[in-house]
């Protein structure tokens, strides 16, 4: 792997308790190009810098692009720990297939990422609740206005030291159950991590934020009946002792934190059902005191308790607006495995 050294390094953020999410970027990035003659080629680690593009570049017009999100941690022993990175590149290739983007060599990019992380190890924050967020992305770079899959692409990985995704940290979130706008339909792109999914969600998100909510809880597009996900998180409910998460019906992102949560909960004796769950069932459970907990899972959001959900103008409070027991256990367990505080029984962590 070619490494082009930076002549000057940036100053790192002084206060790790104020990192926020996605505000700082490290000194280097991993890049690789694709064209039909050479396939993926020209992989290198180079100084993080702006890249210029022709305004007729495909991704600007038709959103042919995909991304991933994963995290690296550093503990007091100085261990660099990456959480389930192979799962992200596997999912990236599934998104690539859906978006007519050529597959990447998962092992090769994983090695490129590890090189990059070793080079940038001093950027990995160590304060509680912090991590180095890793953003692999592929964009279509052919200069053309015809609506066709591009024949040229740029793959890149950028790194950002982060704190919690929500400005209020681990405090329970307020969700607005969205019963007008739609995020995704079965047969569409909801289950792939393509950039357009996030653009589509902005309008509802903005309107919800103006009303004081943190996020929108999406319902299925056809009937506006079944709970889907939050966009930046998959959803879980604890209803009368049963942990329930919406089944992956085709319009929901197959989250890696979702999958890890299910595996951890089951291994520890919890009953977890992946099934369709209607918003009426959730509201009904809340009304009769059986909605024990609600939480979201995601790489950026980790495990985020949900404190209230508003549906058709009525606020429904979950667990008195407090983080529930299972939510807390899951948060502590996942972050414990990620940082090395707890034993990694599943072999999820790659240590560098
Ligand atoms: C993540 O959790 O990594 C995501 O990609 C969600 C969001 C920040 C876009």
């Amino acid at each position: 792997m070619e490494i082009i050294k930076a002549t000057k390094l940036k100053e790192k953020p002084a206060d790790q308790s104020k990192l926020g999410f996605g505000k700082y970027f490290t000194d280097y990035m991993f890049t690789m190009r694709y064209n039909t003659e050479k396939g993926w080629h020209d992989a290198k680690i180079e100084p993080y810098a702006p890249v210029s593009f022709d305004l007729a570049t495909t991704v600007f017009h038709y959103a042919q692009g995909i991304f991933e999100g994963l995290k690296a941690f550093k503990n007091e022993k100085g261990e660099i720990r990456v959480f389930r990175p192979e799962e992200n590149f596997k999912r990236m290739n599934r998104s690539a297939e859906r978006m007519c983007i050529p597959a990447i060599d998962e092992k090769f990019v994983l090695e490129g990422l590890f090189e990059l992380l070793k080079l940038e190890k001093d950027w990995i924050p160590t304060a509680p609740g912090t991590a180095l967020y890793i953003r692999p992305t592929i964009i279509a770079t052919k200069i053309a206005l015809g609506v066709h899959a591009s024949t040229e692409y740029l793959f890149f990985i950028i790194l950002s030291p982060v704190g919690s995704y929500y400005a209020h940290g681990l405090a329970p979130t307020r969700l607005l159950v969205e019963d007008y706008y739609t995020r995704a339909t079965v047969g569409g792109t909801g289950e792939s991590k393509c950039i357009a999914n996030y653009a589509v969600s902005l309008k509802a998100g903005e309107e919800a934020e103006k009303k004081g909510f943190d996020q929108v809880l999406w319902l299925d597009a056809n009937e506006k009946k079944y709970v889907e996900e939050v966009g930046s998180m998959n959803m879980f409910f604890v209803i009368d002792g049963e942990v329930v998460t919406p089944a992956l019906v085709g319009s929901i992102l197959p989250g890696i934190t979702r999958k890890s949560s299910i595996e951890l909960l089951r291994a520890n004796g919890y009953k977890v059902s992946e099934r369709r769950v209607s918003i009426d069932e959730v509201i009904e459970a809340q009304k009769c005191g059986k909605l024990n907990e609600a939480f979201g899972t995601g790489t950026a959001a980790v495990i985020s308790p949900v404190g209230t959900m508003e549906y058709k103008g009525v606020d429904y409070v979950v667990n008195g607006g407090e983080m529930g027991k299972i939510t807390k256990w899951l948060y502590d367990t996942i972050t414990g495995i990620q940082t090395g505080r707890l034993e990694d029984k599943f072999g999820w962590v790659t240590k560098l």
Side-chain angles (χ1 to χ4, degrees):
M1 175 81 52
E2 186 190 0
I3 300 181
I4 303 169
K5 284 280 183 171
T7 48
K8 194 166 175 283
L9 299 182
K10 296 176 197 169
E11 222 168 272
K12 298 182 180 59
D15 187 350
Q16 290 193 359
S17 68
K18 294 204 174 77
L19 288 173
F21 184 83
K23 293 194 298 194
Y24 303 98
F25 297 94
T26 68
D27 292 304
Y28 290 93
M29 58 188 183
F30 173 67
T31 63
M32 182 169 75
R33 296 270 175 179
Y34 178 94
N35 64 32
T36 33
E37 295 78 49
K38 295 188 190 162
W40 285 109
H41 65 282
D42 200 18
K44 56 178 175 285
I45 290 172
E46 58 184 312
Y48 185 102
V51 180
S52 72
F53 292 99
D54 190 290
L55 292 181
T57 298
T58 310
V59 69
F60 296 148
H61 300 269
Y62 308 124
Q64 198 195 359
I66 56 177
F67 73 92
E68 274 302 322
L70 63 155
K71 278 178 175 170
F73 303 82
K74 193 163 68 180
N75 58 21
E76 24 346 301
K77 286 187 238 153
E79 272 173 3
I80 302 172
R81 303 170 63 89
V82 199
F83 189 68
R84 307 194 82 174
E86 53 299 313
E87 289 290 331
N88 289 87
F89 291 115
K90 237 191 256 173
R91 184 173 67 184
M92 188 168 222
N93 266 342
R94 291 203 302 273
S95 302
E97 202 278 328
R98 177 63 180 85
M99 298 304 291
C100 301
I101 292 172
I104 48 166
D105 178 337
E106 292 166 27
K107 253 183 106 180
F108 179 78
V109 291
L110 209 51
E111 268 151 33
L113 168 64
F114 294 159
E115 285 278 302
L116 180 64
L117 289 173
K118 282 183 206 156
L119 190 65
E120 297 286 58
K121 61 180 185 311
D122 293 343
W123 279 93
I124 309 176
T126 50
T130 64
L132 189 67
Y133 184 77
I134 302 164
R135 176 52 68 86
T137 305
I138 304 178
I139 54 170
T141 52
K142 185 174 177 179
I143 298 163
L145 287 188
V147 183
H148 299 286
S150 175
T151 50
E152 290 164 31
Y153 297 88
L154 171 68
F155 170 96
F156 61 85
I157 302 177
I158 55 173
L159 307 173
S160 174
V162 298
S164 62
Y165 183 64
Y166 295 109
H168 55 60
L170 259 186
T173 48
R174 273 171 62 72
L175 299 183
L176 175 65
V177 181
E178 179 56 61
D179 58 2
Y180 175 71
Y181 295 114
T182 291
R183 173 186 172 273
T185 51
V186 176
T189 57
E191 67 181 352
S192 24
K193 208 161 169 64
C194 70
I195 59 176
N197 286 348
Y198 296 82
V200 160
S201 74
L202 295 176
K203 178 82 174 155
E206 286 251 299
E207 290 185 8
E209 261 173 48
K210 269 190 212 141
K211 293 183 198 153
F213 296 94
D214 296 302
Q215 298 268 307
V216 153
L217 175 57
W218 297 101
L219 300 178
D220 76 286
N222 286 344
E223 298 179 79
K224 294 281 187 294
K225 178 173 173 184
Y226 295 104
V227 173
E228 298 236 305
E229 59 158 288
V230 175
S232 54
M233 310 191 288
N234 289 109
M235 264 317 283
F236 285 73
F237 302 97
V238 184
I239 301 176
D240 204 13
E242 177 198 16
V243 184
V244 183
T245 189
L248 301 176
V249 289
S251 46
I252 297 173
L253 188 83
I256 292 154
T257 314
R258 173 190 182 278
K259 179 174 161 165
S260 308
S261 300
I262 294 171
E263 288 170 18
L264 272 176
L265 287 163
R266 284 191 178 144
N268 284 276
Y270 291 97
K271 179 171 185 260
V272 185
S273 309
E274 293 180 75
R275 61 170 172 85
R276 297 210 95 181
V277 51
S278 70
I279 188 64
D280 288 344
E281 178 187 347
V282 174
I283 300 301
E284 211 30 60
Q286 193 273 354
K287 283 183 183 163
C288 59
K290 290 187 174 169
L291 179 61
N292 315 129
E293 303 183 31
F295 58 92
T297 64
T299 295
V302 197
I303 306 293
S304 277
V306 172
T308 54
M309 289 178 288
E310 189 189 292
Y311 182 50
K312 296 198 187 294
V314 182
D315 245 356
Y316 297 93
V317 178
V318 187
N319 192 40
E322 299 291 325
M323 187 184 220
K325 263 199 210 138
I326 296 178
T327 312
K328 170 93 173 64
W329 175 82
L330 201 52
Y331 177 84
D332 289 342
T333 308
I334 288 213
T335 55
I337 294 170
Q338 287 172 331
T339 55
R341 199 169 19 84
L342 296 178
E343 189 191 345
D344 176 23
K345 289 185 193 151
F346 292 87
W348 285 341
V349 172
T350 301
K351 282 193 241 170
L352 301 182

